[in-house]
Amino acid sequence: MASAGQYLIGYVSDIEGSLEAWYSYLKTSKVLTYQHLSVPHPVTLNDNCCFVYGGDVCDRGSGDLHVLRDLISLKERYPSRVFFILGKRDVNKLRLPFALHPKALALPARAYWAAGQGEEEGKVLHDRVARLKWVSR
Protein backbone atom coordinates (compact mmCIF):
# COMPACT_ATOMS: atom_id res chain seq x y z
CA MET A 1 0.00 0.00 0.00
CA ALA A 2 1.07 3.61 -0.46
CA SER A 3 3.14 5.30 2.22
CA ALA A 4 2.47 8.75 3.67
CA GLY A 5 2.34 11.35 0.90
CA GLN A 6 1.88 8.72 -1.81
CA TYR A 7 -1.34 7.56 -3.41
CA LEU A 8 -2.38 4.37 -5.13
CA ILE A 9 -4.28 5.33 -8.29
CA GLY A 10 -7.11 3.30 -9.77
CA TYR A 11 -8.29 3.81 -13.34
CA VAL A 12 -11.14 2.45 -15.42
CA SER A 13 -12.95 3.63 -18.54
CA ASP A 14 -15.47 2.54 -21.14
CA ILE A 15 -17.98 0.96 -18.74
CA GLU A 16 -20.69 2.28 -21.13
CA GLY A 17 -23.52 1.52 -18.72
CA SER A 18 -22.63 -2.14 -18.21
CA LEU A 19 -23.29 -3.13 -14.60
CA GLU A 20 -21.43 -6.38 -15.24
CA ALA A 21 -18.30 -4.46 -16.28
CA TRP A 22 -18.65 -2.00 -13.38
CA TYR A 23 -19.04 -4.74 -10.76
CA SER A 24 -16.20 -6.71 -12.31
CA TYR A 25 -13.94 -3.68 -11.91
CA LEU A 26 -15.10 -3.10 -8.33
CA LYS A 27 -14.32 -6.74 -7.40
CA THR A 28 -10.69 -6.39 -8.52
CA SER A 29 -10.09 -2.74 -7.58
CA LYS A 30 -7.44 -1.95 -4.99
CA VAL A 31 -8.70 1.63 -4.56
CA LEU A 32 -12.50 1.23 -4.41
CA THR A 33 -14.46 -0.93 -2.00
CA TYR A 34 -17.96 -2.14 -2.81
CA GLN A 35 -20.40 -2.77 0.02
CA HIS A 36 -23.93 -4.11 -0.15
CA LEU A 37 -26.51 -1.95 -1.96
CA SER A 38 -28.44 -1.48 1.29
CA VAL A 39 -25.91 1.09 2.56
CA PRO A 40 -26.33 4.74 1.50
CA HIS A 41 -23.02 4.83 -0.44
CA PRO A 42 -22.13 1.30 -1.56
CA VAL A 43 -18.83 2.34 -3.21
CA THR A 44 -16.12 3.96 -1.10
CA LEU A 45 -12.61 5.19 -1.86
CA ASN A 46 -9.89 3.63 0.26
CA ASP A 47 -7.47 5.79 2.26
CA ASN A 48 -4.35 6.99 0.42
CA CYS A 49 -5.99 6.25 -2.91
CA CYS A 50 -7.14 8.26 -5.92
CA PHE A 51 -9.58 7.18 -8.61
CA VAL A 52 -9.76 8.28 -12.25
CA TYR A 53 -12.72 7.46 -14.47
CA GLY A 54 -11.46 7.71 -18.04
CA GLY A 55 -14.67 8.39 -19.94
CA ASP A 56 -17.55 6.74 -21.77
CA VAL A 57 -19.69 5.99 -18.74
CA CYS A 58 -23.03 5.66 -20.60
CA ASP A 59 -24.66 4.60 -23.79
CA ARG A 60 -24.63 0.85 -24.31
CA GLY A 61 -25.78 -0.99 -21.18
CA SER A 62 -28.89 -0.71 -19.07
CA GLY A 63 -27.01 0.39 -15.92
CA ASP A 64 -26.19 3.96 -17.00
CA LEU A 65 -27.94 5.67 -14.09
CA HIS A 66 -26.61 3.24 -11.50
CA VAL A 67 -22.99 3.69 -12.59
CA LEU A 68 -23.45 7.48 -12.83
CA ARG A 69 -24.87 7.62 -9.30
CA ASP A 70 -21.88 5.68 -7.96
CA LEU A 71 -19.38 7.93 -9.76
CA ILE A 72 -21.08 11.19 -8.78
CA SER A 73 -21.36 10.03 -5.17
CA LEU A 74 -17.63 9.25 -5.15
CA LYS A 75 -16.78 12.68 -6.57
CA GLU A 76 -19.01 14.45 -4.03
CA ARG A 77 -17.50 12.58 -1.07
CA TYR A 78 -13.86 12.62 -2.23
CA PRO A 79 -13.58 15.73 -4.46
CA SER A 80 -9.80 16.05 -4.28
CA ARG A 81 -9.14 12.36 -4.95
CA VAL A 82 -11.68 11.45 -7.67
CA PHE A 83 -11.19 12.67 -11.24
CA PHE A 84 -13.22 12.36 -14.44
CA ILE A 85 -11.98 12.45 -18.01
CA LEU A 86 -14.71 13.01 -20.57
CA GLY A 87 -14.96 10.46 -23.36
CA LYS A 88 -16.58 10.81 -26.78
CA ARG A 89 -19.90 9.39 -25.56
CA ASP A 90 -19.93 11.71 -22.53
CA VAL A 91 -19.32 14.79 -24.67
CA ASN A 92 -22.05 13.67 -27.10
CA LYS A 93 -24.55 13.64 -24.23
CA LEU A 94 -23.48 17.11 -23.08
CA ARG A 95 -24.27 18.56 -26.48
CA LEU A 96 -27.82 17.12 -26.72
CA PRO A 97 -29.63 20.19 -25.30
CA PHE A 98 -27.91 22.32 -27.93
CA ALA A 99 -28.09 19.92 -30.88
CA LEU A 100 -31.83 19.29 -30.35
CA HIS A 101 -32.81 22.90 -29.66
CA PRO A 102 -35.34 24.27 -32.21
CA LYS A 103 -32.93 27.06 -33.22
CA ALA A 104 -30.17 24.53 -33.93
CA LEU A 105 -32.58 22.34 -35.93
CA ALA A 106 -33.61 25.33 -38.05
CA LEU A 107 -30.02 26.08 -39.10
CA PRO A 108 -28.68 24.65 -42.35
CA ALA A 109 -27.40 21.17 -41.47
CA ARG A 110 -23.71 20.48 -41.77
CA ALA A 111 -24.05 16.78 -40.98
CA TYR A 112 -25.49 14.06 -43.16
CA TRP A 113 -26.33 10.40 -42.72
CA ALA A 114 -23.48 8.13 -43.70
CA ALA A 115 -24.17 5.83 -46.62
CA GLY A 116 -25.36 2.39 -45.59
CA GLN A 117 -26.86 3.42 -42.25
CA GLY A 118 -30.42 2.46 -43.19
CA GLU A 119 -31.44 5.99 -44.18
CA GLU A 120 -31.40 7.80 -47.50
CA GLU A 121 -27.89 8.81 -48.38
CA GLY A 122 -27.45 12.52 -47.74
CA LYS A 123 -30.60 12.97 -45.61
CA VAL A 124 -30.38 16.32 -43.86
CA LEU A 125 -30.96 16.21 -40.09
CA HIS A 126 -33.66 18.85 -39.55
CA ASP A 127 -35.97 16.91 -37.24
CA ARG A 128 -35.29 16.00 -33.60
CA VAL A 129 -35.62 12.23 -34.01
CA ALA A 130 -33.23 12.05 -36.97
CA ARG A 131 -30.75 14.35 -35.20
CA LEU A 132 -30.91 12.32 -31.98
CA LYS A 133 -30.25 9.10 -33.90
CA TRP A 134 -27.27 10.70 -35.59
CA VAL A 135 -25.82 12.17 -32.38
CA SER A 136 -26.25 8.86 -30.51
CA ARG A 137 -24.37 6.75 -33.04
Side-chain angles (χ1 to χ4, degrees):
M1 198 59 150
S3 62
Q6 295 182 333
Y7 289 93
L8 185 63
I9 299 171
Y11 175 86
V12 69
S13 70
D14 297 292
I15 295 295
E16 297 179 352
S18 168
L19 284 177
E20 182 178 329
W22 179 234
Y23 288 138
S24 176
Y25 174 77
L26 290 174
K27 284 180 191 175
T28 61
S29 176
K30 293 183 170 124
V31 301
L32 297 177
T33 300
Y34 174 75
Q35 300 168 11
H36 193 270
L37 282 175
S38 63
V39 299
H41 303 290
V43 181
T44 56
L45 182 61
N46 299 336
D47 292 338
N48 292 331
C49 293
C50 290
F51 174 70
V52 178
Y53 188 86
D56 293 342
V57 69
C58 296
D59 215 22
R60 301 254 170 124
S62 61
D64 290 347
L65 293 178
H66 182 93
V67 177
L68 279 169
R69 279 188 207 118
D70 285 348
L71 292 173
I72 291 168
S73 175
L74 283 167
K75 182 64 176 172
E76 288 174 339
R77 290 178 288 132
Y78 313 100
S80 64
R81 298 190 293 133
V82 173
F83 306 91
F84 297 147
I85 299 171
L86 295 177
K88 174 186 78 163
R89 295 181 189 286
D90 306 315
V91 172
N92 277 343
K93 301 311 169 276
L94 289 172
R95 75 180 191 173
L96 284 178
F98 304 101
L100 300 177
H101 191 277
K103 288 182 181 179
L105 292 170
L107 293 173
R110 295 182 188 166
Y112 300 89
W113 286 102
Q117 296 296 317
E119 296 288 331
E120 302 171 25
E121 187 174 343
K123 179 179 178 181
V124 181
L125 306 173
H126 285 299
D127 70 89
R128 291 175 71 108
V129 173
R131 181 78 56 98
L132 182 59
K133 285 180 184 178
W134 184 81
V135 168
S136 299
R137 294 186 319 165

